[in-house]
Amino acid sequence: MASAFDGAVAVLPEKIRRVLLDTEAGVKDIVREVRLRSDRPIQLYAGEKNFFVGVNAVLKHRGKILSRDEIAECFSAVCGYSVHTHQQEISEGYVTVRGGHRVGICGSAVRGAEGVFGMRDITSLNIRVAREIKGSADELISVAYKDGLCGIMIAGAAGCGKTTVVRDMARQLASARMGRYIKVTVVDERREIAPEGYDLGITCDVLSGFNKCEGITMAVRTLSPEVIICDEIGGRGEAEVLTVAVNNGASVIATAHAGSIQELYAREHIRALLGTGAFKKIVIMMGGGEVGRIDKIIDAER
């Protein structure tokens, strides 16, 4: 059976894909990001461990160097050889590929009257390996929901597994983990929480590709969710739709980038979201270790 790593690199051109697929299984299992940079070796990031990929081996300090032309070819392949169909995503610095793997893009901005609408002269790509880890939300559900459903904001540094955890929360809540089947709606703006083939439970509905404001509004109007799940919250206009969701009886589970409670409260838009009453608890995730480990749970209404 192909690993999550194999699925993440499957979008790359054959020559580079074959080099990466030769990575030893033990390394594949722990890799979080595959980083491709022009005139630099291929890097496999695994938290506190880093590997550099060579032909027929994973090496510590040297490896296969990618040319600018090879990076350009990788970028085209990631876009399915149809870059123009991904312009909206590219303007935001990423493309999501099959399996929910998000590819971050670096290059030169292409600007128009309304701001950045694309990128050119691509210099590097970062493939974040998405994994389905059933049971990764066990601790969070047991501790945060011991008194029943409530709104939860899950915060943590990049790469700590927040998306993996909310994916498993959706699956467990929609599979009677709490003693009954709960109506869950996932608003999957970047198509990472609920990629094709992942198990999100029996009573879960997915709104894929909608921004959070559109998706939450649509869910409340048409799907009568008990729980709404979304990723990477903190944009403009989201406080209003969260208020509507709460007033219609939905509990919201959302993630936010922040390595500490101080960092979280320092963000103006996050403070506005917390002021809606949509979140009763803030969960700070631990980084660098096992996915799903909780650092602390804080009362959001302090």
Side-chain angles (χ1 to χ4, degrees):
M1 181 178 178
S3 67
F5 177 94
D6 292 347
V9 304
V11 296
L12 296 173
E14 181 181 5
K15 180 180 177 181
I16 295 169
R17 180 175 70 247
R18 287 168 63 182
V19 169
L20 284 162
L21 289 176
D22 203 37
T23 301
E24 58 192 67
V27 174
K28 288 181 181 181
D29 290 341
I30 62 173
V31 168
R32 299 181 184 181
E33 298 175 350
V34 179
R35 307 193 75 113
L36 312 174
R37 300 180 176 95
S38 175
D39 301 320
R40 299 289 187 273
I42 300 173
Q43 175 195 5
L44 304 181
Y45 170 77
E48 297 178 356
K49 295 183 179 181
N50 283 280
F51 305 91
F52 295 91
V53 177
V55 178
N56 300 319
V58 172
L59 309 172
K60 287 188 176 180
H61 302 297
R62 60 191 177 88
K64 177 173 174 54
I65 305 295
L66 296 178
S67 68
R68 181 164 288 227
D69 285 345
E70 286 177 312
I71 290 292
E73 185 182 1
C74 287
F75 173 62
S76 182
V78 162
C79 295
Y81 300 97
S82 181
V83 173
H84 71 278
T85 63
H86 294 277
Q87 284 301 328
Q88 180 58 47
E89 289 177 299
I90 293 168
S91 70
E92 297 178 20
Y94 74 95
V95 170
T96 302
V97 300
R98 184 181 178 86
H101 312 287
R102 191 201 303 181
V103 184
I105 305 165
C106 287
S108 300
V110 178
R111 292 187 175 274
E114 298 182 359
V116 175
F117 68 87
M119 258 192 250
R120 59 182 175 79
D121 301 329
I122 306 304
T123 56
S124 64
L125 302 170
N126 176 32
I127 305 174
R128 295 178 61 178
V129 181
R131 301 183 188 278
E132 183 179 30
I133 304 179
K134 292 185 176 181
S136 58
D138 284 356
E139 181 183 9
L140 196 155
I141 288 177
S142 295
V143 177
Y145 279 167
K146 63 182 179 180
D147 298 319
L149 290 178
C150 65
I152 299 176
M153 181 177 288
I154 302 170
C160 74
K162 298 184 295 296
T163 302
T164 302
V165 168
V166 295
R167 181 184 301 125
D168 195 53
M169 288 188 79
R171 180 188 67 82
Q172 294 201 38
L173 294 175
S175 300
R177 165 73 164 76
M178 295 183 65
R180 66 181 181 87
Y181 291 97
I182 293 168
K183 292 183 293 182
V184 177
T185 297
V186 171
V187 179
D188 195 8
E189 183 172 3
R190 292 183 169 91
R191 300 180 174 88
E192 294 179 289
I193 303 175
E196 183 180 351
Y198 282 39
D199 177 13
L200 268 76
I202 298 172
T203 57
C204 180
D205 302 301
V206 178
L207 291 169
S208 182
F210 294 88
N211 70 44
K212 283 176 278 294
C213 291
E214 295 169 336
I216 292 172
T217 299
M218 187 176 296
V220 169
R221 286 177 177 171
T222 65
L223 299 173
S224 64
E226 294 174 83
V227 173
I228 296 173
I229 295 178
C230 55
D231 216 356
E232 297 188 14
I233 204 158
R236 296 180 183 276
E238 292 171 4
E240 183 177 345
V241 296
L242 287 183
T243 301
V244 172
V246 172
N247 290 340
N248 280 271
S251 296
V252 178
I253 300 170
T255 69
H257 281 310
S260 67
I261 191 65
Q262 293 80 12
E263 184 180 342
L264 191 70
Y265 274 95
R267 296 173 57 188
E268 179 182 352
H269 294 312
I270 294 294
R271 292 200 305 273
L273 294 174
L274 292 171
T276 64
F279 303 102
K280 302 299 183 185
K281 297 178 181 178
I282 300 170
V283 177
I284 307 295
M285 307 300 295
M286 296 179 67
E290 183 181 348
V291 172
R293 294 296 305 277
I294 297 171
D295 181 14
K296 62 183 70 173
I297 297 179
I298 299 161
D299 183 355
E301 297 181 327
R302 63 180 189 175

